[in-house]
Amino acid sequence: MTAPIHTLSNGLRVVADPLPGVRTFALTLAVEGGARFEDERRSGWSHFLEHLVFKGAGDMSARDIVERIEGEGGTINAATGYERTSFEVRALAHSLPLAVRVVAELVRRPTLDEAEIVREKDVVAQEIAEAFDTPDDHVFEMAQARAFEGQALGRPILGSVDSLQPIDRAALAAWAGRLYSPDRMVLAASGAVDPDQLVALAEAAFGDAVSQPTVRPEPARFQGGAATLSRRIEQANLVFQLPAADAHDPILPAQRLFVEILGGGMASRLFQSAREARGLAYAIDAYGETYEDAGVLGVFAGASADRAAELAELTAAEIVGLAERGPTDAELARAKAVLSAGLFMSDESLAARAGRLAVQTLIYGAPVATETTDARLRAPGASEVAEAGRRMLSAGRAAAAVLGPRAAGPAARAFERALFAAA
C-alpha cells in the first residue's frame, strides 16, 4: 500500500507513513527547487540560502536551532541538489511537534542577517575551493559541465565566488520567497508518527503560507564533449557520461539494470575486466543520475596516467558490448537481485522511507509502493536491457572528463572515439 496524501489549501502536501513497533521518526521537507532553477547570475543561491537559514530563523539563533533538536536527542540536516532542496530531522516520537515547527521556521522565517551573509560567503568560498582541490569531486563537475554546457544543470550546485558576491539580504529574501513556495513542498514523515497529528502540525506551521510563482527550468539538452585538467597528482580521475532516460521514461527500469550489470558492483563487467582481469583501475563503477526531463549514465574510475586511455577504450567496449549483445541470464538475475535487495533494505530505514515518499510525491504526484517498483525492476528481459543501452548510444554524444597527470589527457577523446567507432 502507498501512504495517503493530504493537501493543504495552499498546495503543500503531507504524507504520513506510520510504522508499528518503532520509537523514532524521520521527517523530510522536500522542496521542488534547487540549482537547476537558477539563472547564471544567481548560480549557487539555492545552496547558499540553505546554509543561511541555519544561521537563524524565527526566534532561534543558529545555536538555538541545533540545541533544540539535539537537546531532545535528535539530528537535523539539509541538502541542495539540482532539482530539489530537502530538510531532514530524526528524533524520538515525542519530538515531532518540535521538528515540524523548526523546519517550518527555517523555510518560512529565516533571519538572513547581513553579517551572517558576509561570513557565509567566505565559508562557501572555502567549500568551493575544497571541491576544486578534491580531484574525485572536481572531475564530476567537469563532466557535468560538458554534458550540459551552457545550462543550469552544467553549473556547480555551489555556484562560484563571483555569482555569490551580489547576494544581500533583500536579494536572498526574494529568492527564498520564490524557492520555498508551499505548493512545491512535500512534508513526509515515517516511523512513530500519527497521520492526524502530522496534518494538524503541518496546518499550524504552514497553513498560512502563500504560494509564489516561479520560473520553470528550461528543458535539458545533453551536449557532450571532452574536458581535461592537468595536475601534479599520482592518479588520473576519469568520468565518462552518456545521455540516459529521465524520471518518467518507461525504459528506466531496464536502464537501471544496464547500469548495475555494467559497473554496479564487484561482479560487474567493468570491475571484472578493468580491475580484476587487466589491473587498469583500483576503483571503477557505473552510476545513473535521473532528472525530470533528462538522465545520465556515468562511469567513474581512477587509473595510472599511462593507462588511462586504455581504460577509456575498455570502458567504451564494455558499454557497446552490453548494448549489442545484452546480458547473460546470470548477469540479469544478479542485477535484479541486487536492486531488489537494495530497495527492500532501504525500506527498513526511516530516513530513506521519508525521503522517498517526499521525492516521489514531487516527481510523480504520489508515492510509489515498494512492491510496484520491485515488480518494474524485475520485469525487463535481456532484450530490453540491451535496448536501453542502444538508446543511450543512439544520440551519438558523450561527455568525458579527465583530471590528473598530463599523460592521462588523451583518455577523454579516446573514450568517445572508441565508443562510436565500436558502435
Side-chain angles (χ1 to χ4, degrees):
M1 294 181 62
T2 57
I5 301 172
H6 180 90
T7 305
L8 304 189
S9 61
N10 58 14
L12 185 141
R13 286 158 288 179
V14 183
V15 186
D17 175 38
L19 294 175
V22 298
R23 299 182 180 182
T24 67
F25 68 87
L27 178 81
T28 294
L29 178 69
V31 183
E32 184 190 15
R36 198 177 167 191
F37 288 68
E38 303 161 349
D39 55 30
E40 190 168 4
R41 69 187 182 91
R42 294 186 181 92
S43 179
W45 284 32
S46 302
H47 171 262
F48 189 85
L49 176 61
E50 176 231 305
H51 274 225
L52 253 292
V53 301
F54 281 90
K55 299 302 179 182
D59 66 346
M60 299 179 293
S61 67
R63 183 166 185 167
D64 290 335
I65 292 168
V66 293
E67 283 191 344
R68 289 185 187 185
I69 296 294
E70 293 181 5
E72 296 195 7
T75 61
I76 186 168
N77 205 351
T80 302
Y82 279 109
E83 295 185 325
R84 286 174 290 280
T85 303
S86 62
F87 298 85
E88 302 166 353
V89 179
R90 289 280 283 114
L92 293 167
H94 70 269
S95 298
L96 183 62
L98 172 67
V100 174
R101 188 165 61 249
V102 169
V103 168
E105 293 289 272
L106 292 180
V107 298
R108 296 199 58 201
R109 284 175 279 273
T111 306
L112 305 180
D113 180 77
E114 288 282 9
E116 292 289 359
I117 289 173
V118 172
R119 273 193 291 271
E120 202 60 23
K121 286 180 183 179
D122 289 336
V123 171
V124 177
Q126 294 172 46
E127 190 176 359
I128 292 169
E130 181 183 22
F132 182 82
D133 288 342
T134 307
D136 55 356
D137 283 348
H138 188 57
V139 72
F140 280 96
E141 292 186 358
M142 293 168 58
Q144 191 80 3
R146 293 284 70 76
F148 299 101
E149 185 175 6
Q151 304 164 66
L153 269 178
R155 294 191 288 269
I157 291 171
L158 301 181
S160 68
V161 172
D162 288 342
S163 66
L164 300 181
Q165 195 56 44
I167 292 178
D168 58 19
R169 189 183 190 283
L172 201 59
W175 186 250
R178 291 174 58 186
L179 189 68
Y180 298 151
S181 183
D183 61 323
R184 297 193 304 280
M185 291 183 182
V186 175
L187 184 72
S190 182
V193 55
D194 176 78
D196 293 335
Q197 181 192 26
L198 182 64
V199 170
L201 291 169
E203 188 69 62
F206 293 96
D208 61 343
V210 178
S211 295
Q212 302 292 329
T214 189
V215 177
R216 300 296 305 173
E218 293 184 1
R221 307 175 309 280
F222 189 101
Q223 304 286 75
T228 61
L229 181 61
S230 296
R231 285 199 196 167
R232 292 185 177 180
I233 55 179
E234 292 299 319
Q235 192 175 52
N237 297 267
L238 308 99
V239 171
F240 307 116
Q241 294 184 337
L242 286 172
D246 62 46
H248 303 278
D249 197 318
I251 207 170
L252 188 59
Q255 182 183 287
R256 290 184 62 189
L257 292 165
F258 185 98
V259 173
E260 178 62 33
I261 293 163
L262 178 67
M266 294 175 67
S268 68
R269 291 194 177 191
L270 283 174
F271 192 92
Q272 287 297 314
S273 62
R275 190 188 192 281
E276 299 294 86
R278 295 170 66 172
L280 291 175
Y282 172 72
I284 185 166
D285 61 83
Y287 62 92
E289 292 285 356
T290 306
Y291 307 108
E292 284 274 6
D293 60 352
V296 166
L297 175 145
V299 174
F300 167 78
S304 60
D306 60 345
R307 304 194 73 184
E310 184 182 355
L311 178 60
E313 292 167 353
L314 175 64
T315 300
E318 291 291 1
I319 292 172
V320 172
L322 182 55
E324 286 186 344
R325 295 180 290 278
T328 66
D329 291 344
E331 286 177 322
L332 188 57
R334 180 194 72 84
K336 290 181 177 182
V338 168
L339 294 183
S340 179
L343 185 64
F344 286 106
M345 287 176 187
S346 72
D347 239 13
E348 298 177 3
S349 162
L350 298 183
R353 290 176 72 100
R356 187 168 66 242
L357 289 169
V359 169
Q360 288 178 341
T361 301
L362 284 178
I363 296 175
Y364 303 116
V368 180
T370 302
E371 292 76 13
T372 300
T373 302
D374 184 58
R376 290 171 180 168
L377 286 170
R378 290 189 174 277
S383 61
E384 288 93 343
V385 173
E387 173 58 26
R390 289 194 296 272
R391 224 179 76 172
M392 288 184 279
L393 290 169
S394 67
R397 294 189 297 276
V402 177
L403 190 161
R406 186 179 300 275
R413 292 295 182 190
F415 173 73
E416 188 173 16
R417 286 195 301 270
L419 189 71
F420 296 118

